[in-house]
Amino acid sequence: MPEKDGRFEAIIEKIRAKNFKLTPQRMAIARVLSDGGRHPTVEEIHEELRDRFPTMSLATVYRNVLLMKSLGEVMEIGFADGSNRYDGMRPHPHPHAICIACREILDPELSGLEDMSEEVARETGFEIVSHRVDFFGICPKCRAKK
Amino acid sequence: MPEKDGRFEAIIEKIRAKNFKLTPQRMAIARVLSDGGRHPTVEEIHEELRDRFPTMSLATVYRNVLLMKSLGEVMEIGFADGSNRYDGMRPHPHPHAICIACREILDPELSGLEDMSEEVARETGFEIVSHRVDFFGICPKCRAKK
DNA sequence: CTGCTAATTGATAATCGTTATCAATAACGG
DNA sequence: CCGTTATTGATAACGATTATCAATTAGCAG
């Protein structure tokens, strides 16, 4: 169960601090979400936990993802086609590289986003509070398949 | 009816070139979408044309937006909450500044996106084909209201 | 201008992801 | 161990979008 840094512990601690209860389902969902590098859908989380929680409802996954999102411990990566994905490893906005073939999502380290944000603020007069930066393309694996 | 450059004409020409028929509804939708600076929803387009086409179905708006999107003449700006918006003025990816209070969308001119795209390609090995860059914040008007 | 044919329209049902509802269950403090 | 209250599971409701289908109409040939 490879969670990096203490993301799982951080999520659990936040839940405890806000006096929400620690159910086995909730903890299992937190563990999947804190599992590094993944960006699972709600369906995938549900599927992944089916073995251990055969009766767990899809609604429970939705509810807990929403809870952790509202606690600021999970970030939603929403798409217009409804294929929303979730990230409990890095709950703050960061750029993505998304393969349009296999839907894999990487988190590249990118410089210059701060500058760009300031440039937008200067030009528009907006007070920027967040951003969403996605680059779409073909990953090396899918390019090899062509 | 302030359409800039020849966006309306370009959309109509593309439709004609692909042997789709030019119905009054289709042309009216193209005109709204080519109206500069706006980023209307399907509902807003439907509402806006209610006076001139009282019987026009919402399905017709959806169908024609989809058609123009597939012809590459209209760009979709999709959000996870389902509030999708459309832009017939600039059918190619470009950054947005989005007010989280009034939902206004501006199109700032931004430098450095090319470089950033190359940086992603270098770091991930992806072949980047498109992007989506949104900055969320509070516009000057809404900040004044606080 | 007239009539033909296939695309388009309008009305509405179906779909899909997500949220709400509610009775049954379980966490947690006493 | 008990009681209170949040949480769960099952399912209905919801909203945006898409599919369906009969009626209409654009575009074209004569």
Side-chain angles (χ1 to χ4, degrees):
Chain A
M1 206 61 66
E3 77 271 5
K4 293 167 191 165
D5 358 87
R7 286 302 305 149
F8 174 69
E9 289 75 12
I11 297 173
I12 295 303
E13 188 46 45
K14 179 72 73 76
I15 289 170
R16 197 196 310 274
K18 299 285 184 184
N19 289 315
F20 292 106
K21 294 180 177 176
L22 283 173
T23 65
Q25 296 94 328
R26 182 163 286 168
M27 286 192 284
I29 292 165
R31 201 172 278 284
V32 173
L33 284 168
S34 61
D35 190 356
R38 305 261 319 278
H39 301 81
T41 65
V42 164
E43 281 287 355
E44 285 166 356
I45 298 169
H46 186 241
E47 181 62 30
E48 188 162 332
L49 296 175
R50 185 186 300 285
D51 290 341
R52 275 196 292 150
F53 301 89
T55 70
M56 184 169 66
S57 169
L58 196 54
T60 294
V61 183
Y62 274 106
R63 272 188 296 241
N64 281 290
V65 167
L66 179 64
L67 172 68
M68 297 173 206
K69 202 170 56 165
S70 71
L71 294 177
E73 293 296 328
V74 164
M75 192 185 61
E76 182 180 66
I77 312 170
F79 297 95
D81 68 354
S83 68
N84 295 350
R85 291 164 178 278
Y86 297 91
D87 184 350
M89 268 300 293
R90 304 159 173 243
H92 303 296
H94 59 272
H96 297 112
I98 301 166
C99 179
I100 57 180
C102 69
R103 301 245 99 196
E104 187 191 22
I105 301 180
L106 297 184
D107 297 342
E109 296 297 331
L110 227 52
S111 62
L113 252 186
E114 273 314 309
D115 290 346
M116 196 172 277
S117 189
E118 282 170 27
E119 194 177 345
V120 175
R122 210 178 317 124
E123 190 174 340
T124 63
F126 275 48
E127 178 187 333
I128 304 299
V129 299
S130 178
H131 58 80
R132 170 79 182 273
V133 175
D134 295 345
F135 290 90
F136 299 95
I138 317 277
C139 73
K141 225 174 298 177
C142 286
R143 224 175 36 253
K145 282 184 202 154
K146 275 196 307 196
Chain B
M1 207 59 67
E3 75 273 4
K4 293 167 191 163
D5 358 87
R7 286 303 305 149
F8 173 70
E9 288 74 13
I11 297 173
I12 295 303
E13 189 44 45
K14 180 71 74 78
I15 289 171
R16 196 197 311 273
K18 299 286 182 182
N19 288 317
F20 293 105
K21 294 182 176 175
L22 284 172
T23 65
Q25 296 92 328
R26 183 163 285 169
M27 287 192 283
I29 292 165
R31 201 172 278 283
V32 173
L33 283 168
S34 60
D35 190 357
R38 306 262 318 280
H39 302 82
T41 64
V42 164
E43 281 287 355
E44 285 166 356
I45 298 169
H46 186 241
E47 180 62 29
E48 187 161 332
L49 296 175
R50 186 185 300 284
D51 290 341
R52 276 197 289 150
F53 301 89
T55 70
M56 185 168 67
S57 168
L58 196 54
T60 294
V61 183
Y62 273 106
R63 273 188 295 240
N64 281 290
V65 167
L66 179 64
L67 172 69
M68 296 172 206
K69 203 170 56 167
S70 71
L71 293 178
E73 294 295 328
V74 164
M75 192 185 59
E76 180 180 67
I77 313 170
F79 297 96
D81 68 354
S83 68
N84 295 351
R85 290 163 179 279
Y86 298 90
D87 184 349
M89 267 302 292
R90 304 160 174 243
H92 303 297
H94 59 272
H96 297 111
I98 301 166
C99 179
I100 56 180
C102 69
R103 303 244 98 198
E104 187 191 21
I105 301 180
L106 296 186
D107 297 341
E109 296 296 332
L110 227 52
S111 63
L113 252 186
E114 273 314 308
D115 290 346
M116 196 172 279
S117 189
E118 282 170 27
E119 195 177 342
V120 175
R122 211 178 316 125
E123 190 175 340
T124 63
F126 274 48
E127 178 187 335
I128 303 300
V129 299
S130 178
H131 58 79
R132 170 78 182 273
V133 176
D134 294 345
F135 290 90
F136 299 94
I138 317 277
C139 72
K141 227 174 296 177
C142 287
R143 225 172 38 251
K145 282 184 202 153
K146 275 196 307 197

